[in-house]
Amino acid sequence: MISSRVCNCLSFISLPSSLSLCRPLVSLLFQSSKSAAAMAFVKAQKSKAYFKRYQVKYKRRRDGKTDYRARIRLINQDKNKYNTPKYRFVVRFSNKYIVAQIISASIAGDLVLAAAYSHELPRYGLEVGLTNYAAAYCTGLLLARRVLKMLEMDQEYEGNVEATGEDFSVEPAETRRPFRALLDVGLVRTTTGNRVFGALKGALDGGLDIPHSDKRFAGFSKDSKQLDADVHRKYIYGGHVAAYMRTLMEDEPEKYQSHFCEYIKKGLEADDLEGLYKKVHAAIRADPSMKKTDKQPPKEHKRFNLRKLTYEERKAKLVERLNALNSAAGMDDDDEEDDE
Amino acid sequence: MPAGHGVRCRTRDSFSRPFRKKGYIALTTYLRTYKIGDYVDVKVNGAVHKGMPHKFYHGRTGRIWNVTKHAIGVEVNKQVGNRIIRKRIHVRIEHVQPSRCTEEIRMRKIQNDKLKAEAKARGEKISTKRQPEGPKPGFMVEGATLETVTPIPYDVVNDLKGGY
């Protein structure tokens, strides 16, 4: 068993960097020497020993949804601050929508202070392009204004009303300190110009205090190590989308029709986008409150997985199967026993 | 080679993580808040190397006397020679669990306060003292049949049948 101890120590040392998937397999190689010795095509099974020793990762890690290394560091609050909540500005992207939330952690479960979804943006006049950089900016801005309104700080902290793309940080006002949150990116790869940072910019301009650097905003060039505010401003107002629309209209009109069909339906041209986003920003600042939908929750809750059978149902199934087996073999057999 | 007496000597098993519980530490350890005066158990978590107490304190319970950013000051009793010293150590939160030693007393206190308030409302006096378990009450044995056993005279032949 000394070999197993050694292998455990090895994997223990390499742990801090990443979520090591190699751990169970390493033990497999040392533990079940029978299957390892053969190493032929046949013997590549996971033996009972493998399963007995396998340690499952946390549920959310198995789902691939939570990065616990980052989570520990985001949630950890100094102990001498006792119950002061530490808020995370969470941005997540689905295929069609953007979700921005302010969340504080607790043992019972995380509590969401406020949330903003990009599917609320139609209320402010933005109906298409709900997952692009500009929409992320709008969602971040909406969340920031909502939170500040909720905490009655929105008069004090206006933030950056005119989105210029420059790096803007909130100045602390006289009476209250700004609302501080930490950006929680999730499992996204933080490259320059990622939409996550679009949402971050929206929240910053909305008036939240989020520690950041301008290195990852769209428009930061690695060579000059500077943020080109104009480029960033273009992205915030959908300039990159507009440019693509123009090139497609000239070169491939059919592709333009198919790709931007929703824009065309709403009558949006490449030049209209900037004006549209300006109006959306103004509308968001005017009324950021959350509106409850009038949709009723469906009477019957939709099931996404199979219902588990009860004990009686499972026994009945077994009886059925046995009867079927017996009747099939019953041509030969004279006596049949019904397992009742 | 002579035996070493390093700080972590003889801790191979006590500091090792339990079976199939290696890797990341559950987030509740970081989310718990501790106040001065609480009782905590010191239990070393071998996965975190910083702020580890000495192996003597593993399994001890003490009171909190200080709270810092990532650690807690715990006051633990240690017998040194013929006296007990109150030792003050600082331990990182990963190596500390809230102690349940005072839980029973606190629950009982709440319960007793409630009972006393109810009794006061009713106007009668009650004693909330705990009573030790007394001797068990007497009972009649049911369904017992008497089997009388008498000695039989010693029979040499039968006895030696087994073997000489």
Side-chain angles (χ1 to χ4, degrees):
Chain A
M1 279 296 113
I2 296 171
S3 59
S4 66
R5 283 260 183 219
V6 168
C7 88
N8 281 339
C9 284
L10 279 172
S11 46
F12 167 57
I13 288 167
S14 68
L15 193 56
S17 47
S18 61
L19 318 146
S20 53
L21 286 154
C22 61
R23 198 192 310 117
L25 291 174
V26 172
S27 349
L28 165 66
L29 285 170
F30 278 78
Q31 240 72 37
S32 45
S33 50
K34 290 182 243 176
S35 34
M39 269 312 180
F41 308 120
V42 186
K43 276 285 184 88
Q45 333 127 311
K46 294 188 248 183
S47 67
K48 192 163 169 201
Y50 168 78
F51 287 112
K52 277 191 157 187
R53 298 198 62 85
Y54 187 74
Q55 177 184 337
V56 281
K57 299 191 182 351
Y58 290 156
K59 179 78 167 68
R60 285 217 115 211
R61 167 65 189 90
R62 279 180 275 143
D63 291 343
K65 289 184 183 169
T66 306
D67 174 8
Y68 277 99
R69 181 173 193 271
R71 188 175 154 83
I72 288 179
R73 283 153 177 79
L74 277 169
I75 281 176
N76 199 0
Q77 175 69 290
D78 295 346
K79 290 302 131 198
N80 41 14
K81 293 188 187 155
Y82 298 100
N83 276 320
T84 316
K86 201 164 192 179
Y87 293 105
R88 307 181 282 146
F89 171 60
V90 168
V91 186
R92 298 284 186 266
F93 293 89
S94 82
N95 282 339
K96 289 202 263 189
Y97 301 119
I98 307 176
V99 181
Q101 295 167 313
I102 300 270
I103 302 185
S104 69
S106 85
I107 295 181
D110 286 0
L111 300 165
V112 177
L113 184 67
Y117 300 86
S118 67
H119 58 70
E120 293 178 46
L121 291 178
R123 196 178 132 212
Y124 299 99
L126 180 65
E127 266 136 19
V128 284
L130 293 179
T131 48
N132 59 25
Y133 197 95
Y137 180 91
C138 294
T139 314
L141 177 66
L142 175 57
L143 178 64
R145 296 312 299 167
R146 196 168 272 175
V147 164
L148 290 176
K149 182 144 187 222
M150 196 194 297
L151 299 170
E152 284 154 28
M153 287 206 282
D154 51 349
Q155 307 302 333
E156 278 180 74
Y157 290 103
E158 287 286 341
N160 202 1
V161 186
E162 175 72 37
T164 52
E166 269 171 13
D167 191 10
F168 171 80
S169 295
V170 190
E171 309 279 309
E174 287 84 61
T175 45
R176 292 173 75 165
R177 286 181 312 169
F179 183 85
R180 194 181 180 88
L182 305 172
L183 178 65
D184 182 347
V185 168
L187 290 155
V188 153
R189 186 79 186 89
T190 50
T191 50
T192 317
N194 197 314
R195 297 170 291 169
V196 161
F197 300 108
L200 171 66
K201 186 79 179 106
L204 290 169
D205 285 353
L208 296 187
D209 177 18
I210 304 176
H212 65 283
S213 99
D214 54 358
K215 183 166 134 183
R216 290 300 180 195
F217 286 136
F220 184 86
S221 79
K222 261 200 320 186
D223 314 319
S224 74
K225 295 216 195 320
Q226 266 186 3
L227 174 66
D228 191 345
D230 289 326
V231 175
H232 197 200
R233 187 185 175 287
K234 244 180 46 152
Y235 270 79
I236 291 174
Y237 285 114
H240 56 306
V241 179
Y244 187 51
M245 279 169 90
R246 288 194 196 100
T247 43
L248 272 191
M249 265 203 293
E250 281 190 35
D251 302 337
E252 291 169 78
E254 316 87 39
K255 187 164 175 204
Y256 172 75
Q257 296 292 331
S258 71
H259 199 91
F260 287 104
C261 62
E262 290 290 318
Y263 282 72
I264 296 170
K265 254 195 264 184
K266 300 282 188 302
L268 284 172
E269 299 268 305
D271 308 317
D272 300 333
L273 287 185
E274 176 155 340
L276 172 69
Y277 284 117
K278 276 214 177 83
K279 274 204 267 184
V280 174
H281 296 337
I284 287 176
R285 279 183 182 272
D287 179 27
S289 54
M290 181 93 143
K291 197 166 79 158
K292 286 226 161 235
T293 52
D294 304 319
K295 259 196 318 191
Q296 307 290 345
K299 280 168 206 57
E300 227 186 71
H301 187 76
K302 201 162 86 150
R303 269 207 85 92
F304 297 103
N305 54 1
L306 297 169
R307 192 169 54 86
K308 273 175 126 168
L309 301 176
T310 65
Y311 180 67
E312 284 90 43
E313 286 173 2
R314 275 183 273 141
K315 259 183 81 167
K317 267 190 140 186
L318 177 64
V319 164
E320 265 181 52
R321 268 178 47 210
L322 284 171
N323 283 341
L325 264 176
N326 284 338
S327 60
M331 321 307 184
D332 321 330
D333 277 42
D334 279 331
D335 47 349
E336 292 133 321
E337 260 196 281
D338 266 346
D339 282 290
E340 290 277 283
Chain B
M1 260 190 72
H5 300 290
V7 171
R8 283 185 60 172
C9 74
R10 301 172 191 158
T11 58
R12 176 179 186 172
D13 289 324
S14 58
F15 281 13
S16 63
R17 301 286 290 131
F19 181 56
R20 288 192 303 177
K21 294 224 168 66
K22 301 203 195 347
Y24 284 107
I25 302 172
L27 277 272
T28 29
T29 37
Y30 296 98
L31 286 172
R32 276 198 229 275
T33 53
Y34 297 97
K35 305 240 268 292
I36 296 180
D38 289 349
Y39 283 89
V40 287
D41 300 334
V42 175
K43 185 174 166 205
V44 172
N45 186 324
V48 179
H49 300 148
K50 287 191 167 177
M52 258 197 204
H54 185 260
K55 64 177 192 279
F56 168 79
Y57 299 102
H58 180 70
R60 308 281 159 181
T61 307
R63 262 186 65 251
I64 295 181
W65 63 276
N66 186 18
V67 174
T68 63
K69 263 180 149 189
H70 302 114
I72 291 174
V74 186
E75 201 174 44
V76 177
N77 289 340
K78 182 176 186 182
Q79 176 174 9
V80 182
N82 60 345
R83 67 204 191 280
I84 297 182
I85 302 182
R86 295 221 303 257
K87 302 214 59 161
R88 296 190 151 190
I89 53 170
H90 278 101
V91 184
R92 264 199 170 216
I93 20 165
E94 292 93 336
H95 309 295
V96 146
Q97 289 172 354
S99 182
R100 294 182 61 188
C101 59
T102 48
E103 180 182 315
E104 198 242 332
I105 295 171
R106 278 186 283 123
M107 293 290 120
R108 206 155 45 84
K109 182 165 172 227
I110 297 170
Q111 177 79 350
N112 286 348
D113 287 344
K114 206 158 54 104
L115 288 174
K116 279 195 254 198
E118 285 171 12
K120 193 158 177 185
R122 283 197 306 262
E124 36 177 79
K125 259 179 113 179
I126 52 156
S127 161
T128 53
K129 281 186 194 279
R130 290 175 296 174
Q131 294 294 337
E133 250 183 68
K136 285 201 279 274
F139 58 96
M140 297 296 282
V141 179
E142 302 285 329
T145 50
L146 286 180
E147 185 185 328
T148 314
V149 179
T150 49
I152 49 170
Y154 183 59
D155 194 356
V156 184
V157 182
N158 263 345
D159 205 40
L160 293 174
K161 238 194 227 164
Y164 290 71

